[in-house]
Amino acid sequence: MLQKVWVSSPGSWALQESNSHRQGKKRCWKCRFVRTIIQHPCRRYAPRRSRKERMLRKIQICLCFCFVSGILYEISLLSSCVFSYLPMAQQYLTPEQVLNLGKSIIFLETTERGPPPLVSCSVESAARIYQDRPIILFMRGLNNETALDMNTSYAAFSLLSSMKNVFLFPLQMETVFQETPLLQWYNQVVPEQEKNWVHVSSDASRLALIWKYGGIYMDTDVISIRPIPQRSFLAAQKSRFSSNGIFGFPARHKFIWDCMENFVLKYNGNIWGNQGPFLMTRMLKTLCNLTDFQGTEDHSCQNISFLNPQRFYPIPYPAWSRYYQVWDKSPNFNHSYALHLWNFMNRNRKVVVAGSNTLAENLYKTYCPSTYEDLIQNAKHRDLPEPEEVE
């Protein structure tokens, strides 16, 4: 009778038993049987089940690996490729690649000028407030050559392009208007004969971009101070009157499509604002019974939020110059998401002057400090004497 089995070395087995000399033959076959069982366990029943289990386990591991790889790839697109990209990679991203990520903040510059400090401040403040969203500045005066030489073309290029979520693209209107009711209008209009072409072309472009890609449009004289929580919204400039300087909608929203159709149907480029705030107001009135605002509440109609004037226009346009004045006590703007500085009304071209302690200067310090620092450096360079003046 067997009492103990152990391994002494690979392939070597030793057996201890009682009365080993009496039943040698029986113990001999028992030894071979035990050695066979130990060296080749479960050969009759295990192989088929074991192979299936191993195969299923390999399939599960492969599926898990593919799933995790897919998630990591998507995260890399949203974070590494967009918000942590190298400056060189920025130059090769197309507007569609960035806009298709969704939730963009869009600015437009339809003149040929480079971005002045107010434009730079608007873009920078948005980039700081909306750090998880692409901030895009489309510029009429930008082309592929200036895009490749941003550091020398305009002073603000190096500042804006250094921000990880800011993108500067040429504004190509014919491409923007593709697949919209505005394309036929654009092909027929003669810009040189348009009295308000800079404004009209901007009004059209912002509608097409928001309809195609969704997101938020902002004028380049808007300083962001906190995130806008609404997704579909218009900004009231005053009771019963909508601005088109700030608005946001998801892509392919019917309201924006209807606005584009009305833009073409009721087009009159000689009337300032006819394709802008007046368009938004008359289209909103077809959906909603507009009433006066009481306090700081917002209105809502047809799933569109009509935001209180305090949200963006706490200082109304007749008092626009107060932004460039010194206040005894600076307002806190607790009910505002952003501030519109009414640059269109600024006929005398008032600017932020370092050390003036105006409201606009304090806003620059708080919400666009890089622009403000650049402003100070430029002022110092202007104040330096010319080389021939130095003794």
Side-chain angles (χ1 to χ4, degrees):
M1 183 176 181
L2 291 174
Q3 291 181 339
K4 189 181 294 185
V5 179
W6 74 92
V7 179
S8 59
S9 62
S12 174
W13 303 91
L15 305 176
Q16 288 187 353
E17 57 179 277
S18 60
N19 301 324
S20 59
H21 297 287
R22 296 180 182 179
Q23 300 177 350
K25 293 183 179 180
K26 292 182 179 180
R27 291 182 182 83
C28 184
W29 72 262
K30 288 181 181 179
C31 176
R32 290 194 299 270
F33 177 75
V34 172
R35 183 161 55 245
T36 300
I37 293 300
I38 294 177
Q39 289 178 335
H40 307 285
C42 305
R43 289 188 62 90
R44 292 187 179 183
Y45 306 102
R48 187 172 299 176
R49 182 183 299 176
S50 178
R51 288 194 190 98
K52 288 182 178 180
E53 288 177 351
R54 287 197 297 270
M55 186 176 295
L56 287 174
R57 187 170 298 174
K58 289 179 180 179
I59 293 173
Q60 289 173 346
I61 292 172
C62 289
L63 291 175
C64 290
F65 177 78
C66 293
F67 179 73
V68 172
S69 298
I71 292 177
L72 293 176
Y73 176 72
E74 293 294 332
I75 292 174
S76 70
L77 286 179
L78 293 176
S79 57
S80 299
C81 292
V82 177
F83 303 128
S84 300
Y85 59 86
L86 294 173
M88 183 172 293
Q90 179 189 15
Q91 300 171 6
Y92 299 101
L93 290 172
T94 66
E96 290 75 17
Q97 288 174 322
V98 180
L99 288 164
N100 282 331
L101 294 172
K103 299 172 61 176
S104 299
I105 310 295
I106 297 174
F107 294 89
L108 294 172
E109 179 58 69
T110 52
T111 68
E112 298 290 334
R113 65 178 180 176
L118 182 54
V119 174
S120 178
C121 183
S122 297
V123 175
E124 180 188 347
S125 64
R128 292 178 181 275
I129 296 299
Y130 303 94
Q131 296 185 19
D132 61 335
R133 303 175 71 161
I135 312 299
I136 306 175
L137 173 60
F138 286 97
M139 301 182 63
R140 184 67 175 169
L142 186 66
N143 54 46
N144 292 333
E145 291 181 0
T146 52
L148 294 174
D149 192 21
M150 290 183 177
N151 291 328
T152 58
S153 297
Y154 298 111
F157 274 153
S158 59
L159 188 153
L160 295 177
S161 61
S162 67
M163 300 177 190
K164 63 180 181 179
N165 59 334
V166 173
F167 299 84
L168 308 178
F169 291 122
L171 177 59
Q172 299 172 335
M173 293 185 187
E174 187 171 356
T175 301
V176 169
F177 296 143
Q178 293 291 333
E179 303 177 4
T180 75
L182 299 169
L183 182 60
Q184 183 179 0
W185 160 82
Y186 179 72
N187 289 333
Q188 294 175 349
V189 73
V190 181
E192 293 78 13
Q193 298 177 1
E194 292 292 324
K195 178 182 177 181
N196 298 299
W197 178 246
V198 169
H199 304 288
V200 169
S201 59
S202 177
D203 293 335
S205 298
R206 68 189 71 176
L207 289 173
L209 286 167
I210 294 299
W211 182 79
K212 281 186 173 182
Y213 304 105
I216 296 174
Y217 168 81
M218 292 185 184
D219 277 348
T220 52
D221 56 350
V222 172
I223 297 178
S224 298
I225 60 178
R226 57 178 57 89
I228 303 170
Q230 289 82 359
R231 192 178 179 201
S232 301
F233 71 89
L234 293 171
Q237 186 171 313
K238 59 183 180 179
S239 288
R240 309 188 189 203
F241 189 79
S242 176
S243 163
N244 76 327
I246 310 170
F247 63 93
F249 285 90
R252 311 283 167 162
H253 197 283
K254 185 179 184 301
F255 179 80
I256 300 298
W257 180 267
D258 293 341
C259 285
M260 290 190 293
E261 289 187 328
N262 191 270
F263 182 105
V264 178
L265 182 65
K266 299 291 182 69
Y267 181 74
N268 187 339
N270 293 323
I271 301 176
W272 186 91
N274 187 62
Q275 272 60 54
F278 292 109
L279 167 66
M280 291 296 199
T281 301
R282 64 177 176 261
M283 294 306 297
L284 186 61
K285 285 181 177 179
T286 64
L287 300 177
C288 311
N289 181 23
L290 301 182
T291 59
D292 291 339
F293 287 95
Q294 303 296 328
T296 58
E297 87 283 4
D298 298 320
H299 292 172
S300 181
C301 175
Q302 301 286 333
N303 294 322
I304 298 174
S305 296
F306 191 41
L307 302 184
N308 193 287
Q310 288 293 317
R311 303 290 178 244
F312 307 103
Y313 305 102
I315 297 178
Y317 75 90
W320 67 270
S321 62
R322 298 202 66 191
Y323 281 113
Y324 298 94
Q325 296 174 0
V326 178
W327 291 52
D328 294 334
K329 182 180 179 181
S330 295
N332 53 37
F333 300 116
N334 286 338
H335 301 293
S336 302
Y337 301 135
L339 303 173
H340 195 288
L341 268 61
W342 303 107
N343 193 53
F344 178 71
M345 303 294 295
N346 190 358
R347 306 295 184 183
N348 295 326
R349 293 292 176 249
K350 293 182 181 292
V351 296
V352 170
V353 178
S356 61
N357 197 33
T358 60
L359 176 58
E361 184 192 12
N362 292 327
L363 292 174
Y364 274 45
K365 288 180 180 179
T366 304
Y367 301 107
C368 54
S370 296
T371 298
Y372 182 71
E373 183 179 349
D374 189 63
L375 193 73
I376 294 175
Q377 293 298 325
N378 290 336
K380 289 180 179 179
H381 289 313
R382 285 195 301 269
D383 293 339
L384 289 175
E386 295 295 330
E388 59 271 16
E389 297 179 1
V390 180
E391 295 181 358

